[in-house]
Amino acid sequence: MSGATTSLDTSLSLDTARRAALALLVLLGIAAIIMPERLPALVASPLAGSDAIAAAINGGIDWFVAVFKPALRAVAAGLDQAVRGLQKILHATPWLFIVIAVTWLAWRLKGIGLAALCGTAVLYMALSGYWLKSMNTLSMVGVAVPLALAVGFGLGVLGAKSRRANAVIQPTLDLMQTIPTFAYLAPLVVLFGFGPVPGVLASMIYAAPPMTRNVLLGLQSVPQELREVSSMSGTTPWQRFCHIELPCAKQQILVGINQLVLASLSMVIIAAVIGGFDDIGREVLVATNKGSARFGQALAAGIVIVLLAVVIDRLTRAAATRREAVGRKTGRRAIPVLWQLAGLAIVLAASIALKTYADIIAVASAIFFRLGEVAVNGWLQDFIATHGITLDAIKKTALMYLLLPLRIGLTKAVLPITWGFTFTPAMQTVYLLTVLAGTAWLAWRGRTTAASLLLSVGLISYCGFSYMPWWVMFAGVCWLAWRHAGWRFALVACAMMLAITLTGHWQGALYSVYLCSAAILVCLLIGCPLGILAAKSDIVSGILRPMNDTLQSIPLYIFLIPAVALFQVNEFSALVAIVLYAIVPLIRYTEHGLRHVPPTLVEAARANGCSPLQRLLMIELPVARPAILLGLNQTVLFALAMLIIAVLVGARGLAEQVNIGLRDADTGLGMTAGLSMAFIAIIADRVLRGYANSLGTTEIKD
Amino acid sequence: MPEASRTEPKIRCHGLWKVFGDAAETACARRGGGTAIEEALAGTDAIIGASDVNLEIAPGELFVIMGLSGSGKSTVLRCIAQLQRPSAGEVWLDDANLASMPEAQLMDIRRHRMGMVFQNFGLVPHFTALQNIAFPLKVRGEPAEQCAAKANEMLDLVGLNGRGDAYPSELSGGQQQRVGIARSLAVDPEVWLLDEPFSALDPLIRKQLQDELLELQARLQKTILFVTHDFSEAVRLADRIAIMRDGRIIQQGRAAELLMNPADDYVSRFVGDVSRLQVLKLGDIMQPSGRAVSGAPKMPASLSIEDMLLTTGGDVSTINVIDSNGRVTGRIDRAQAIETVRNATPGQTG
């Protein structure tokens, strides 16, 4: 009895001690934020970054290249041959044939609607004068896809068969998908030289993970009973794989192939930054960087990329969802394969015979397109001339009232020339007291999540991300990681932040976090209401859904075009580009979460006399919260992925370092900065997912 | 088990244990068996699936394991099929110990000597009914025509002729399980394992399939291990029943034995749900005697007491019980029979 009492006492006192320590930490953090000048000891960083690690990586790569040069050259030469071979074939094929073949394929796979869409899209590519460049891009995709397919499938099967292999594969996939795409372009360039090869290999690395994940998911979801049936039928492991597991997982694997091809295209387009292969991505990149002066070209070529992505997406998806496996009679009469081949041969022969005329038509129409581009440029410049003041006002407002306070804090952002008044010490005191009082009140009411949210937002706006004392950031992130992902991950997060500091990327990381936070804030403010609207109105949903589908399937580059055309190259354009891309999952998951609130709950709310608004606020949104949080998680990851692209239009921080690493072939710099971004993404992902899971689980499948 | 000991058992489990969790598995493997394992597991958080299970199934016998969910009945069946390898103990099929047999040899045994029916039918969704039935034949490498011929024969056997090209999703639950039964019999196995085969079906279909199972068994004479959570199903089908709880077999024997002498309250609670008049046969309650009582009617030992009472009037006081050869083996006093049944009913015996 006495033993129990003592242990109770110690646990109580331990709890009190922990609370006291936490309170002290919070107070110290507040003090460090409020009066950094008075407490230099609290804000100084004892950890100086160095480029020793980056240098070591460079040394390692140099050594590797020196040792394996012949092998690397051989791989590079082989892939180069393959890409150029495919390029020759695609260039030699008459465009008329490809248009007809794609249309026919779309018709066979789905029907007349898809055929019309794909036919028009390919026709646009041919007539807009970007045909050869599109074919160059396709030839890179054409080589990358089989490679990614083999690697992705192999890893997926390995992971499904061996628990030990899976333990290695899962974190590797996480890393492969979170390391910014530019970061591994740099070492690939060093290893394989310029030209299409680094792009192809980067595309393979980027496109394999979604395939692996889907193969794993498919194989793991084969019902246990079927495995037992297979065993009792006396199958060998190989027979079981071929006859039971693979066919059962087929649908999921086809989804994986769809994602793989899209990712591959996206990465090939991104790889255009290294240049060396006259592809459509390069065209867009060059035109985009010229700003509004070449908006027409960027738009026309950008549309080609969008169409390419849409055609590939819809064709592979149609192939994946086709239900021929179950032997259903589709009602369409089957055309013998021989006839089909003969028909194709006739079309091919005809298009070869008509090649000259077709090419003349293409050239003529390309001239019209060029004229159109010039007209669009003129129109845009007129638009900017007349609406320049409005656009500038939008940009200035966002910079002054959102971006600056978040970056350098209200104390430095509120000036007579920006906000029209001085942020006097008296005002600062009132602001801080309001925040602290609000926090205390919320904490007293027992709403700790809301309290900590208010406190952190209030303090961050006060001093800005850039002037955040390093240890407050460390402590805050570790606390979040510990709360939502367990103490083990808190240690990992701490190690990751330490690595960021030691490689000299701390300030860059703070900048990246700042820009992403701003973008996510905007996404929340726009995306959640849109998601709610879409959940409440089938019309809004019907409009948003295809838009979201398209936004998700097109390569990231495209988002830069409108941002730059309207706002030139600066931080705000970067913000616009990030928001355009990252807002999609938030809209989708909000709608999904609200639409999947259990009907009995809705009925119960009605029966209790809730008004529609009460129902939304008190029943539907809280129930949908886990789904919305998962959407937010996706948004954060998307924002970080887009950040690296946004560097081309004015983002700075880590992404800029990665880009410099790529430009100067400084692999060490690029890799350490890239890994830092990956670490940020992994921490954000684990914390948000942990929080969403703690609120309840929702099943969401793409 | 007087019946089983007369011939060599087809299947024999000896000291069978199945525990889940890696630490528990190794603890189990180190100890020999029996109570030593219990001591080893005490204090660990091991989940026990089957603990010290001993049973023997004679050739041609229909043996039912009955228990509620989580009682370990499916675990025992899976340990016999070696879908789960036992943590300790032996599983003999004739003179081979399956528990220590390498996977390759087991594959051979499953290809030729075992068939299994699954609770949720376990039909491969991308195969037609015929392809499902032919699957075990195909994997052991039989030529395509032979597979097709045998599969069609099996389809006829379960009364599904004409539905061979249907996919599982196009069949009703009862039809799906017929395909499952046909597939399990396609390799002409000696041992037939059925894991709650009728639990997912509607009551009427269930009864129909139970009747068909008995008909099939009368013709094929397989050695059957049947698992169910439904005591009345067990009584309907079984030659002998084992009742399981918490991984242990609490009692095993013929239905009448369980009814007349339930081992504990748990068993008597199950037994309370079935009609004694139907389950108890004349042979179970007769007084053995080779001499016929003159003037008394003759009735077979396998007749239920209910049928006896329905076919005889109050004017009959004594009945001669005869065996399948028509030989008189005992006699029953009609009034005494009613008294016996009343006394066998739990709650009235005190």
Side-chain angles (χ1 to χ4, degrees):
Chain A
M1 192 63 198
S2 67
T5 331
T6 356
S7 78
L8 194 68
D9 280 350
T10 42
S11 76
L12 257 182
S13 64
L14 257 180
D15 203 42
T16 328
R18 209 184 302 154
R19 274 160 193 262
L22 192 66
L24 187 68
L25 206 64
V26 170
L27 284 178
L28 272 179
I30 295 172
I33 288 169
I34 294 176
M35 32 194 182
E37 310 84 11
R38 305 259 179 80
L39 302 160
L42 274 185
V43 286
S45 165
L47 298 167
S50 83
D51 49 9
I53 296 174
I57 293 178
N58 278 336
I61 294 259
D62 287 345
W63 172 83
F64 189 82
V65 170
V67 174
F68 294 100
K69 195 162 194 169
L72 293 172
R73 286 284 168 268
V75 171
L79 286 175
D80 199 67
Q81 281 296 318
V83 175
R84 288 184 199 283
L86 190 56
Q87 183 192 22
K88 276 206 190 89
I89 295 173
L90 286 173
H91 281 193
T93 316
W95 63 263
L96 198 57
F97 172 72
I98 296 186
V99 171
I100 294 173
V102 168
T103 311
W104 172 82
L105 187 67
W107 176 66
R108 293 303 301 169
L109 284 177
K110 188 83 173 269
I112 200 81
L114 189 64
L117 175 73
C118 292
T120 318
V122 184
L123 202 60
Y124 174 89
M125 285 177 218
L127 296 182
S128 62
Y130 294 111
W131 182 254
L132 293 184
K133 288 177 202 256
S134 316
M135 290 304 116
N136 289 347
T137 299
L138 262 191
S139 53
M140 284 167 82
V141 173
V143 175
V145 163
L147 286 177
L149 212 57
V151 172
F153 185 76
L155 284 179
V157 173
L158 193 66
K161 291 286 160 197
S162 149
R163 210 190 295 174
R164 209 175 298 165
N166 198 20
V168 180
I169 289 173
Q170 285 294 351
T172 314
L173 290 183
D174 286 343
L175 211 60
M176 274 163 94
Q177 284 191 307
T178 46
I179 289 188
T181 43
F182 283 1
Y184 47 80
L185 272 177
L188 287 173
V189 169
V190 174
L191 292 175
F192 298 100
F194 281 91
V197 177
V200 167
L201 286 172
S203 174
M204 180 198 89
I205 296 174
Y206 183 66
M211 179 69 185
T212 303
R213 284 194 199 284
N214 279 292
V215 171
L216 259 173
L217 182 64
L219 289 179
Q220 280 167 351
S221 52
V222 174
Q224 179 61 23
E225 198 172 72
L226 281 187
R227 290 179 204 279
E228 292 186 342
V229 164
S230 181
S231 291
M232 289 312 291
S233 298
T235 52
T236 61
W238 177 246
Q239 282 175 327
R240 184 169 80 176
F241 183 68
C242 292
H243 293 307
I244 306 285
E245 292 173 335
L246 212 49
C248 280
K250 190 176 129 196
Q251 220 55 36
Q252 197 67 44
I253 293 176
L254 287 173
V255 170
I257 292 178
N258 167 268
Q259 292 176 3
L260 174 144
V261 179
L262 280 179
S264 169
L265 174 68
S266 186
M267 188 65 204
V268 162
I269 300 286
I270 286 169
V273 283
I274 56 176
F277 203 68
D278 191 21
D279 61 316
I280 190 78
R282 189 76 190 163
E283 182 74 22
V284 175
L285 181 65
V286 171
T288 306
N289 278 346
K290 296 262 164 54
S292 57
R294 306 255 323 256
F295 174 66
Q297 286 86 332
L299 189 67
I303 289 175
V304 171
I305 295 182
V306 173
L307 292 177
L308 210 52
V310 168
V311 168
I312 289 178
D313 178 38
R314 299 294 143 82
L315 281 184
T316 46
R317 215 187 294 176
T321 49
R322 206 160 61 120
R323 298 204 52 200
E324 36 86 55
V326 189
R328 197 90 18 260
K329 286 120 207 147
T330 46
R332 197 177 302 157
R333 63 208 146 78
I335 304 172
V337 180
L338 211 63
W339 283 49
Q340 296 186 19
L341 287 178
L344 273 183
I346 292 170
V347 171
L348 183 61
S351 15
I352 289 173
L354 294 172
K355 189 170 192 311
T356 330
Y357 302 103
D359 285 351
I360 290 172
I361 292 173
V363 169
S365 104
I367 293 170
F368 274 107
F369 268 86
R370 295 296 87 76
L371 292 174
E373 284 166 5
V374 173
V376 168
N377 287 344
W379 173 82
L380 181 73
Q381 269 152 2
D382 281 352
F383 179 83
I384 290 176
T386 44
H387 298 277
I389 300 167
T390 322
L391 292 174
D392 239 32
I394 295 174
K395 182 163 79 180
K396 281 232 176 75
T397 312
L399 279 173
M400 276 189 302
Y401 297 109
L402 175 69
L403 292 177
L404 268 184
L406 274 180
R407 179 145 64 88
I408 57 175
L410 288 169
T411 43
K412 296 190 179 57
V414 180
L415 296 171
I417 54 158
T418 53
W419 289 45
F421 59 88
T422 320
F423 200 31
T424 59
M427 287 159 93
Q428 296 180 11
T429 316
V430 170
Y431 171 85
L432 285 170
L433 283 178
T434 316
V435 169
L436 291 178
T439 307
W441 184 72
L442 282 172
W444 181 69
R445 291 282 304 272
R447 306 185 58 178
T448 41
T449 313
S452 39
L453 201 64
L454 176 66
L455 184 67
S456 37
V457 170
L459 290 180
I460 289 170
S461 325
Y462 183 78
C463 77
F465 273 105
S466 300
Y467 296 99
M468 213 47 189
W470 66 273
W471 65 269
V472 175
M473 201 75 186
F474 258 63
V477 171
C478 282
W479 183 74
L480 279 177
W482 174 71
R483 270 290 298 274
H484 298 304
W487 64 270
R488 238 173 248 168
F489 185 72
L491 285 182
V492 173
C494 201
M496 285 175 167
M497 284 189 289
L498 211 59
I500 295 176
T501 315
L502 290 177
T503 47
H505 290 305
W506 183 251
Q507 279 304 319
L510 283 181
Y511 180 90
S512 300
V513 171
Y514 135 73
L515 193 55
C516 279
S517 306
I520 290 158
L521 209 59
V522 177
C523 286
L524 276 172
L525 290 177
I526 303 176
C528 281
L530 280 180
I532 293 173
L533 274 181
K536 294 288 163 197
S537 148
D538 286 341
I539 299 172
V540 177
S541 177
I543 296 170
L544 282 179
R545 195 165 295 173
M547 277 172 67
N548 284 341
D549 279 351
T550 312
L551 283 178
Q552 278 218 310
S553 62
I554 61 181
L556 309 186
Y557 259 8
I558 304 305
F559 297 93
L560 304 181
I561 300 172
V564 173
L566 292 177
F567 303 106
Q568 291 83 47
V569 172
N570 59 54
E571 219 171 54
F572 181 65
S573 306
L575 181 79
V576 170
I578 296 174
V579 168
L580 275 179
Y581 178 60
I583 200 170
V584 174
L586 205 51
I587 300 177
R588 280 197 159 163
Y589 280 65
T590 305
E591 182 186 349
H592 179 98
L594 288 177
R595 280 188 183 257
H596 287 76
V597 171
T600 48
L601 266 182
V602 176
E603 277 172 11
R606 274 215 183 122
N608 286 326
C610 280
S611 71
L613 186 67
Q614 284 175 324
R615 205 171 76 209
L616 179 71
L617 292 180
M618 301 199 302
I619 306 288
E620 292 173 337
L621 278 179
V623 172
R625 205 162 47 161
I628 298 176
L629 269 170
L630 286 179
L632 180 65
N633 182 31
Q634 291 278 303
T635 291
V636 171
L637 295 182
F638 277 34
L640 281 164
M642 190 63 196
L643 190 62
I644 198 79
I645 311 291
V647 79
L648 298 172
V649 295
R652 279 177 282 142
L654 283 180
E656 192 185 20
Q657 299 297 312
V658 175
N659 203 30
I660 291 173
L662 177 60
R663 192 191 63 206
D664 300 349
D666 186 344
T667 306
L669 179 66
M671 282 305 280
T672 49
L675 276 175
S676 301
M677 289 191 75
F679 290 163
I680 295 173
I682 289 172
I683 293 173
D685 177 49
R686 286 291 301 269
V687 168
L688 277 171
R689 259 196 299 159
Y691 184 46
N693 284 341
S694 71
L695 290 178
T697 46
T698 42
E699 293 269 319
I700 297 207
K701 285 192 184 120
D702 284 352
Chain B
M1 287 163 281
E3 292 93 340
S5 57
R6 243 177 262 141
T7 49
E8 274 297 301
K10 188 82 185 169
I11 297 173
R12 191 162 65 85
C13 289
H14 182 69
L16 180 72
W17 281 82
K18 179 66 189 174
V19 294
F20 298 98
D22 293 341
E25 283 266 11
T26 42
C28 239
R30 264 207 311 276
R31 308 299 178 111
T35 52
I37 292 179
E38 263 168 286
E39 285 162 21
L41 293 179
T44 70
D45 54 355
I47 297 166
I48 298 178
S51 85
D52 201 20
V53 168
N54 296 293
L55 55 84
E56 291 183 355
I57 307 176
E61 187 178 23
L62 202 169
F63 190 91
V64 174
I65 299 183
M66 188 266 149
L68 300 182
S69 60
S71 62
K73 55 191 192 302
S74 281
T75 304
V76 171
L77 180 131
R78 276 172 170 67
C79 280
I80 290 173
Q82 300 297 316
L83 286 173
Q84 289 171 349
R85 301 310 290 258
S87 309
E90 296 156 7
V91 176
W92 294 87
L93 173 63
D94 288 334
D95 47 5
N97 184 1
L98 302 182
S100 62
M101 195 177 269
E103 204 60 44
Q105 240 171 300
L106 276 175
M107 188 177 84
D108 204 51
I109 285 198
R110 290 175 184 146
R111 281 182 175 184
H112 296 98
R113 299 176 61 189
M114 274 187 187
M116 179 159 166
V117 182
F118 293 82
Q119 178 173 9
N120 296 306
F121 320 138
L123 298 187
V124 184
H126 50 270
F127 286 169
T128 62
L130 269 181
Q131 285 170 330
N132 264 294
I133 298 172
F135 185 61
L137 303 167
K138 185 174 154 191
V139 297
R140 71 182 192 192
E142 282 185 27
E145 323 83 74
Q146 216 169 308
C147 288
K150 181 77 184 173
N152 270 312
E153 183 190 321
M154 287 294 129
L155 206 61
D156 287 349
L157 184 74
V158 296
L160 273 182
N161 24 357
R163 299 289 287 154
D165 289 330
Y167 283 88
S169 57
E170 299 165 327
L171 297 172
S172 70
Q175 288 173 325
Q176 288 190 45
Q177 194 56 298
R178 282 165 207 251
V179 175
I181 288 173
R183 177 178 61 191
S184 68
L185 291 174
V187 298
D188 205 4
E190 305 155 26
V191 172
W192 199 15
L193 307 168
L194 299 103
D195 182 22
E196 302 211 31
F198 307 141
S199 298
L201 301 174
D202 295 335
L204 281 181
I205 309 282
R206 193 184 307 163
K207 183 152 183 310
Q208 195 182 343
L209 280 175
Q210 285 167 358
D211 290 338
E212 285 175 30
L213 178 81
L214 287 174
E215 272 171 42
L216 273 176
Q217 172 62 355
R219 255 195 291 166
L220 302 172
Q221 289 295 311
K222 305 285 184 196
T223 304
I224 297 180
L225 178 59
F226 188 105
V227 164
T228 181
H229 63 251
D230 179 356
F231 188 68
S232 53
E233 182 172 70
V235 169
R236 261 175 75 77
L237 298 176
D239 292 327
R240 279 188 308 135
I241 302 172
I243 294 187
M244 284 190 74
R245 183 177 59 173
D246 299 337
R248 294 176 180 284
I249 291 183
I250 299 177
Q251 190 175 10
Q252 52 181 320
R254 288 182 300 113
E257 288 169 16
L258 301 185
L259 231 64
M260 306 285 276
N261 300 303
D264 61 8
D265 283 353
Y266 187 73
V267 177
S268 51
R269 252 180 291 156
F270 280 118
V271 171
D273 282 345
V274 296
S275 158
R276 267 132 202 82
L277 291 173
Q278 283 171 15
V279 174
L280 294 180
K281 308 294 182 216
L282 298 188
D284 297 324
I285 58 166
M286 68 179 186
Q287 289 153 350
S289 148
R291 206 162 49 80
V293 179
S294 61
K298 291 181 179 175
M299 289 184 174
S302 59
L303 194 72
S304 71
I305 296 174
E306 182 175 73
D307 288 343
M308 180 270 283
L309 291 177
L310 288 176
T311 49
T312 55
D315 51 326
V316 176
S317 66
T318 309
I319 294 140
N320 287 318
V321 180
I322 53 173
D323 67 8
S324 50
N325 299 324
R327 210 158 45 81
V328 172
T329 51
R331 72 174 73 132
I332 286 179
D333 184 88
R334 192 171 182 276
Q336 192 64 42
I338 297 171
E339 197 56 29
T340 313
V341 170
R342 183 181 293 147
N343 288 339
T345 309
Q348 297 187 4
T349 50

